[in-house]
Amino acid sequence: MKAFEKNIRKVEPYVPGEQPQRKVIKLNTNENPYPPAPGVAKALKGMETDRLRLYPDPAATPLVEELARFYQVQPDQVFVGVGSDDVLSMCFLTFFNSKKPLLFPDVTYSFYKVWAKLYRIPYECQELDEDFHIVKEDYYKENGGVIFPNPNAPTAIYEELDVVEDIIAHNQDVIVIVDEAYIDFAGRSALELIDKYENLLVVQTFSKARSMAGMRIGYAIGNPVLIQYLNDAKYSFNSYTMNQTSLACGVEAVKDVRYFEEGIQKIIRTREWAKEELEKLGFKCLESQANFIFAMHPEYDAKEMFEALKANDIYVRYWGSKRIKQYMRITIGTREEMEALFAFLRKYMNK
Amino acid sequence: MKAFEKNIRKVEPYVPGEQPQRKVIKLNTNENPYPPAPGVAKALKGMETDRLRLYPDPAATPLVEELARFYQVQPDQVFVGVGSDDVLSMCFLTFFNSKKPLLFPDVTYSFYKVWAKLYRIPYECQELDEDFHIVKEDYYKENGGVIFPNPNAPTAIYEELDVVEDIIAHNQDVIVIVDEAYIDFAGRSALELIDKYENLLVVQTFSKARSMAGMRIGYAIGNPVLIQYLNDAKYSFNSYTMNQTSLACGVEAVKDVRYFEEGIQKIIRTREWAKEELEKLGFKCLESQANFIFAMHPEYDAKEMFEALKANDIYVRYWGSKRIKQYMRITIGTREEMEALFAFLRKYMNK
């Protein structure tokens, strides 16, 4: 190692799901199979491009205000960032500065460990039970903060709001973050609790139900004190994170409530049908409440199946880590994409 | 303070220049008065918006490759981020983990102190000489890293490449970052030195000469080892920082070499003329090599003048901090905008 490398922060980065350049059936990164709201395309075509020479509004005011309107909160309760990963990363940097460990589930979004390591935050994983549910009592111990996704990833399992509230109620001296990337496909959101618990922050994204992974927009909603701390950190990191197109397109996506709700119902219908189809093929699916299914087959090796699918241009996600070695995560695509998946699986299993 | 606030990182954020919503003569944040290259508007109008549902390429390949072509380096020597502030912030997080102080000038880009405080990096400011030039010998002492802008901000003063190289040569055991946001309006870039010094990183932006502050694109160029460390940190922070529109527009901006070069010449011509006009009015201007002028008037109080300008919808930048209390920073606008500024100043001074 050269002398100048001595003071460099060395990290083992998160490995995102593949983004193949050629056309494949892409069920590997939980994207939405449908395009964003029509207003988004219109906003982009109608952009006053001469204004791109100017910095965007650092407070992202139009987007913050539109989100506040939609969720019936005040603008000072909303923070926006470059995808929910940016928002969550800022949260780790801002809120988890304790010497006590941050708590999160053992099977969960793999980025949590990466952020903890990046910022040198001590952490301790809590084992999910054998059905992959959170054991709420595991979060009663002393800690420096709590974070979990609901529905969880990659299991797609949703915890009822009383479980979520119980964990928040037991941790009012630290920040509790509920990471709700997939909540629109599930049940009640922890947003119902933000006025009751000052230490609660709910993080959501435009990448899933709003079909805008390519625009990178995420947000956090919570009490104004937390949002202020987050904004202070953001303004210390980069004043202008949201570019002009994200602001313009984001506003349009939030405005179109009907398109948003109909899109969610379409995916839920495909998901329920896909679960039945997988079960007919002998798969066991966890109780999915997201836009993906976490499934295993008692008779077929998951890794081999994953590779056979990939060789046939059908991409799903496989980790191979402890406890989930036998599982594949399958994003809900269009009905046609799911048909192609099932057709391949039937052939693979000679059924 | 509530218990849950105890472990929150508290920072004093950078205060960006105002972004007034109504129409004013905006000479306060060093934006380009001309629109981006025509290809940028075309790229935006032609976006395949259905694809916005998909994550962007995390490696930002088309943009990295286009920049590599333009600067005649290899793609693995290029890192891109959400504006040069994002790139610089990642650099601070990645490269400056020493217990020894980071060195930078006392009068410089005010974000350096903010990042150092955010990441708890010790730092020590080195005084510029009385003409606001860097004293290279001040950077011979032991340190944990070196950063300076060239041309410097807010002074607009450019250091010749031999001064820059001398500082790099004396600091080969740490990372040296030359922050070249304004280099296109000045002289030779430190890019000439990246193959000679493995510890050198040159950071540039699309916000100035490329007229794209609103799109948030910045980049660093250096040896592949440094770029790899930066990418590891970026992938640990947020895998997908550059949205699809930034990638598409960025490529088009780089491709149009002629538009880029002509735009620079237009601004340089306006700058040289504006300097003469200011001097006719009794101002003293530092030797500007950027798209702005740092000027003071021996007979008029800078703060009062700044406020009078603002009251008349002409925005320039004023800090009021030590050593630069008597200076205003004036961005080079169009010739018409500069005429309006001079007309006001003549009236203000009864000339």
Side-chain angles (χ1 to χ4, degrees):
Chain A
M1 195 168 72
K2 304 263 168 74
F4 67 78
E5 290 182 63
K6 210 180 53 172
N7 294 314
I8 295 179
R9 188 176 297 251
K10 282 126 200 141
V11 287
E12 217 182 285
Y14 173 77
V15 181
E18 288 170 275
Q19 301 293 347
Q21 290 313 298
R22 67 183 197 295
K23 205 158 165 58
V24 301
I25 293 182
K26 196 166 175 310
L27 308 173
N28 70 331
T29 53
N30 296 346
E31 288 143 335
N32 197 308
Y34 306 110
V40 172
K42 246 168 102 181
L44 218 47
K45 312 281 174 204
M47 284 284 296
E48 214 186 302
T49 45
D50 278 11
R51 284 186 60 82
L52 291 180
R53 67 181 188 82
L54 299 173
Y55 283 101
D57 173 10
T61 313
L63 183 57
V64 162
E65 285 179 350
E66 201 59 47
L67 283 166
R69 232 184 321 270
F70 183 85
Y71 291 106
Q72 298 178 292
V73 296
Q74 296 304 311
D76 66 358
Q77 293 179 281
V78 181
F79 172 85
V80 295
V82 181
S84 65
D85 284 344
D86 181 51
V87 174
L88 288 166
S89 183
M90 279 293 154
C91 286
F92 271 63
L93 179 69
T94 308
F95 297 126
F96 300 142
N97 289 285
S98 174
K99 293 211 165 79
K100 294 177 199 157
L102 172 67
L103 305 183
F104 52 80
D106 63 335
V107 178
T108 195
Y109 187 30
S110 36
F111 231 128
Y112 296 164
K113 264 189 206 174
V114 174
W115 285 316
K117 285 177 188 162
L118 178 67
Y119 298 126
R120 293 159 188 170
I121 300 164
Y123 66 91
E124 205 183 80
C125 296
Q126 308 304 304
E127 268 191 35
L128 297 175
D129 70 16
E130 57 185 13
D131 299 323
F132 293 104
H133 272 280
I134 285 178
V135 182
K136 62 184 201 275
E137 293 78 8
D138 288 347
Y139 296 82
Y140 291 178
K141 67 183 86 169
E142 246 199 319
N143 63 65
V146 173
I147 183 165
F148 57 91
N150 194 36
N152 196 3
T155 63
I157 285 178
Y158 171 73
E159 302 295 345
E160 294 298 331
L161 200 57
D162 59 338
V163 175
V164 173
E165 178 162 10
D166 182 84
I167 294 174
I168 302 164
H170 277 87
N171 287 285
Q172 296 188 50
D173 287 352
V174 298
I175 307 300
V176 178
I177 298 178
V178 186
D179 176 2
E180 294 190 337
Y182 302 105
I183 193 70
D184 302 312
F185 308 106
R188 288 163 66 194
S189 162
L191 282 172
E192 289 181 31
L193 306 173
I194 52 164
D195 289 330
K196 193 163 168 194
Y197 298 98
E198 294 174 306
N199 63 318
L200 167 64
L201 207 69
V202 179
V203 175
Q204 299 190 0
T205 180
F206 280 53
S207 301
K208 311 301 178 187
R210 295 192 194 277
S211 297
M212 284 171 74
M215 282 309 286
R216 319 304 305 121
I217 309 175
Y219 52 100
I221 299 181
N223 101 58
V225 174
L226 299 190
I227 299 302
Q228 179 68 53
Y229 280 119
L230 261 182
N231 269 319
D232 286 353
K234 171 226 175 103
Y235 285 130
S236 298
F237 176 86
N238 183 359
S239 320
Y240 306 97
T241 56
M242 307 296 291
N243 73 17
Q244 285 187 20
T245 58
S246 295
L247 296 177
C249 294
V251 167
E252 293 307 317
V254 181
K255 271 187 181 162
D256 198 336
V257 180
R258 194 166 151 198
Y259 186 86
F260 173 65
E261 286 171 353
E262 287 179 356
I264 292 166
Q265 288 316 313
K266 257 197 295 192
I267 288 169
I268 291 177
R269 277 196 304 273
T270 312
R271 176 185 74 201
E272 295 309 311
W273 161 74
K275 257 197 290 197
E276 281 170 31
E277 292 297 309
L278 285 168
E279 278 157 8
K280 278 186 209 159
L281 288 167
F283 279 91
K284 293 191 186 311
C285 302
L286 298 190
E287 183 47 58
S288 173
Q289 298 278 321
N291 69 338
F292 58 90
I293 296 172
F294 205 47
M296 61 93 75
H297 200 295
E299 292 153 48
Y300 292 88
D301 183 76
K303 188 160 187 247
E304 282 173 20
M305 204 154 31
F306 160 77
E307 279 164 0
L309 282 161
K310 195 171 160 181
N312 285 273
D313 279 352
I314 301 175
Y315 282 55
V316 300
R317 193 94 194 258
Y318 175 75
W319 280 270
S321 48
K322 215 183 118 194
R323 294 192 73 182
I324 57 170
K325 266 197 177 54
Q326 259 308 82
Y327 283 85
M328 296 189 307
R329 191 191 71 185
I330 304 163
T331 302
I332 303 301
T334 60
R335 202 159 163 116
E336 294 68 36
E337 290 173 314
M338 303 312 279
E339 293 277 21
L341 168 73
F342 301 142
F344 174 83
L345 288 174
R346 271 190 291 270
K347 224 170 74 188
Y348 186 76
M349 297 172 179
N350 297 313
K351 281 191 179 176
Chain B
M1 193 172 70
K2 304 265 168 71
F4 67 78
E5 289 181 64
K6 213 182 51 175
N7 294 315
I8 294 179
R9 188 178 295 252
K10 283 127 198 139
V11 285
E12 216 182 284
Y14 173 78
V15 181
E18 287 171 274
Q19 300 294 348
Q21 291 311 301
R22 67 183 197 298
K23 204 157 165 59
V24 300
I25 293 181
K26 195 166 177 309
L27 307 174
N28 70 332
T29 52
N30 295 346
E31 287 143 335
N32 198 309
Y34 305 110
V40 171
K42 246 168 103 180
L44 218 48
K45 312 283 176 204
M47 283 285 295
E48 214 188 303
T49 45
D50 280 12
R51 285 185 61 83
L52 291 180
R53 66 181 188 81
L54 299 173
Y55 284 101
D57 172 10
T61 313
L63 182 56
V64 163
E65 285 179 350
E66 201 59 46
L67 283 166
R69 231 183 321 269
F70 184 84
Y71 290 106
Q72 298 178 291
V73 297
Q74 295 304 311
D76 65 358
Q77 294 179 281
V78 181
F79 172 85
V80 296
V82 180
S84 66
D85 284 345
D86 180 51
V87 174
L88 288 166
S89 183
M90 278 294 152
C91 286
F92 272 61
L93 179 68
T94 308
F95 297 127
F96 299 143
N97 289 283
S98 174
K99 294 212 164 78
K100 293 175 201 158
L102 172 67
L103 305 184
F104 52 80
D106 64 336
V107 177
T108 195
Y109 187 30
S110 36
F111 231 129
Y112 296 163
K113 265 189 203 172
V114 175
W115 286 315
K117 285 178 189 161
L118 177 67
Y119 300 125
R120 293 160 189 170
I121 299 164
Y123 65 91
E124 205 182 81
C125 296
Q126 308 305 305
E127 268 192 35
L128 297 176
D129 69 18
E130 57 184 12
D131 299 324
F132 293 104
H133 272 279
I134 286 179
V135 182
K136 63 183 199 278
E137 292 78 10
D138 287 348
Y139 296 82
Y140 293 178
K141 66 182 88 168
E142 246 200 318
N143 64 64
V146 173
I147 183 166
F148 57 90
N150 195 35
N152 196 3
T155 63
I157 285 178
Y158 170 72
E159 302 295 343
E160 294 297 332
L161 200 56
D162 59 337
V163 175
V164 174
E165 177 162 8
D166 182 84
I167 294 175
I168 302 164
H170 277 87
N171 287 284
Q172 297 189 51
D173 287 353
V174 298
I175 307 299
V176 178
I177 298 177
V178 186
D179 176 1
E180 293 190 338
Y182 303 105
I183 194 70
D184 302 312
F185 308 107
R188 288 162 68 192
S189 162
L191 282 172
E192 290 181 32
L193 305 172
I194 52 163
D195 289 328
K196 191 163 170 193
Y197 298 97
E198 293 175 308
N199 63 317
L200 166 65
L201 209 68
V202 178
V203 175
Q204 299 191 0
T205 180
F206 280 55
S207 300
K208 310 301 176 188
R210 295 191 194 278
S211 295
M212 284 171 73
M215 282 308 287
R216 319 304 306 120
I217 309 175
Y219 52 100
I221 300 182
N223 100 58
V225 174
L226 299 189
I227 299 302
Q228 179 67 52
Y229 280 120
L230 261 182
N231 268 318
D232 286 353
K234 172 228 174 106
Y235 285 129
S236 298
F237 176 87
N238 184 358
S239 320
Y240 307 95
T241 56
M242 307 297 290
N243 73 19
Q244 285 187 21
T245 58
S246 295
L247 296 178
C249 294
V251 166
E252 293 307 316
V254 181
K255 271 186 182 162
D256 199 336
V257 180
R258 193 167 152 197
Y259 186 86
F260 172 67
E261 285 171 353
E262 287 178 354
I264 292 166
Q265 287 315 313
K266 258 198 294 193
I267 288 170
I268 291 176
R269 278 196 302 271
T270 312
R271 176 185 76 200
E272 295 308 313
W273 161 75
K275 258 194 292 196
E276 281 170 30
E277 292 297 308
L278 285 167
E279 278 157 8
K280 280 187 209 159
L281 287 165
F283 280 90
K284 291 191 188 313
C285 303
L286 298 190
E287 183 48 55
S288 174
Q289 298 278 321
N291 69 338
F292 58 91
I293 295 172
F294 205 47
M296 62 94 75
H297 200 293
E299 291 153 48
Y300 292 89
D301 182 76
K303 187 158 188 251
E304 283 173 20
M305 203 156 30
F306 160 76
E307 279 164 1
L309 282 161
K310 194 170 160 181
N312 286 273
D313 279 353
I314 300 174
Y315 282 54
V316 300
R317 195 93 195 261
Y318 175 74
W319 280 269
S321 47
K322 214 182 116 193
R323 295 193 70 183
I324 58 171
K325 267 197 178 56
Q326 260 306 84
Y327 283 85
M328 297 189 307
R329 192 192 68 184
I330 304 163
T331 302
I332 304 302
T334 60
R335 200 156 165 120
E336 295 68 36
E337 289 173 314
M338 303 313 279
E339 294 275 21
L341 167 74
F342 302 142
F344 174 84
L345 288 173
R346 273 191 289 267
K347 225 170 72 189
Y348 185 77
M349 297 173 178
N350 298 313
K351 281 191 178 173

